[in-house]
Amino acid sequence: MALRVGLISDTHGVLHPAVARVFARVDHILHTGDIGSAAVLAELTRLAPVTAISGNADGPPLSRLPRARCVELGGIRILLVHHGFVHARPTAELAAGLRRYRPTVAVFGHSHVAFVTRRLGILLVNPGGGGRRRFRLPRSVAVLTIGVRDVRARVTVLDTRAAVRREMPAAPAPRTAGPDRGCRGRRTPSRRASSRARGGG
């Protein structure tokens, strides 16, 4: 049976009223920062368990959340960072997370511009802004569907009566053991081990 994960970002203290309808049947919710208020997380928790990171606009206590993290849901690794791209280039935090965790999916926000694409076999998702309107951009969220053979993301625009959806499948995902937990990154050799490998003392 497929696992459905709600993806949301950049609420800035306000949750669009249509979010509850779109996330009505999700199994988990991921928020990629600029939450704006603990009340937003409390409201989302009524719909499903929530995993969140902080964004650049989050103050205490939300700023104490991790700025990036990797979780395992449905047997795949999902990387969360707040700021994913600058001028079509990955940010340092996204690039570092991709190298460390090698996820199947990376989710981010910050720009309030929703899109779904794939690079080098990794599904990249920006769900857009799901709360306070910014820059006259349409507000949106996304739903990630983790199936047996593939992973798909669908963006739903919240500001239109007939919601516009954009969908792109990921490549078949390698399954990893242990659902619903944090990811283990690649180990970095200790200085002593590195020294021994070079023939040092």
Side-chain angles (χ1 to χ4, degrees), residues 61-103:
L62 297 174
S63 58
R64 301 190 187 103
L65 291 170
R67 289 300 299 267
R69 68 194 303 175
C70 180
V71 297
E72 287 191 12
L73 294 171
I76 67 166
R77 292 183 175 187
I78 305 172
L79 173 67
L80 306 180
V81 299
H82 179 62
H83 197 180
F85 284 86
V86 177
H87 303 303
R89 292 188 175 185
T91 60
E93 59 184 336
L94 176 60
L98 294 178
R99 287 193 303 268
R100 180 178 182 184
Y101 297 111
R102 297 185 177 182

Side-chain angles (χ1 to χ4, degrees), residues 22-199:
V22 179
F23 287 176
R25 296 181 181 179
V26 301
D27 302 289
H28 203 98
I29 296 172
L30 303 177
H31 196 307
T32 59
D34 279 4
I35 302 161
S37 170
V40 169
L41 295 183
E43 194 167 347
L44 289 172
T45 302
R46 295 174 185 171
L47 303 174
V50 177
T51 299
I53 60 172
S54 64
N56 60 288
D58 286 320
L62 297 174
S63 58
R64 301 190 187 103
L65 291 170
R67 289 300 299 267
R69 68 194 303 175
C70 180
V71 297
E72 287 191 12
L73 294 171
I76 67 166
R77 292 183 175 187
I78 305 172
L79 173 67
L80 306 180
V81 299
H82 179 62
H83 197 180
F85 284 86
V86 177
H87 303 303
R89 292 188 175 185
T91 60
E93 59 184 336
L94 176 60
L98 294 178
R99 287 193 303 268
R100 180 178 182 184
Y101 297 111
R102 297 185 177 182
T104 300
V105 181
V107 188
F108 43 87
H110 186 69
S111 68
H112 293 245
V113 178
F115 69 87
V116 179
T117 190
R118 189 177 72 235
R119 292 188 184 181
L120 301 176
I122 301 172
L123 188 65
L124 304 173
V125 185
N126 186 333
R132 192 179 302 278
R133 183 188 293 276
R134 292 290 179 93
F135 318 120
R136 297 184 179 180
L137 293 169
R139 290 169 288 183
S140 60
V141 294
V143 173
L144 185 72
T145 302
I146 304 170
V148 175
R149 296 184 178 180
D150 64 4
V151 181
R152 297 175 181 270
R154 173 177 291 180
V155 172
T156 297
V157 177
L158 305 173
D159 289 323
T160 57
R161 291 185 178 180
V164 178
R165 295 181 175 88
R166 297 185 291 274
E167 183 175 355
M168 176 176 286
R175 316 303 288 185
T176 57
D180 308 341
R181 65 183 186 185
C183 310
R184 291 185 178 182
R186 299 172 63 189
R187 289 188 176 182
T188 302
S190 65
R191 292 183 179 179
R192 179 174 295 181
S194 299
S195 178
R196 288 177 179 174
R198 294 192 300 267

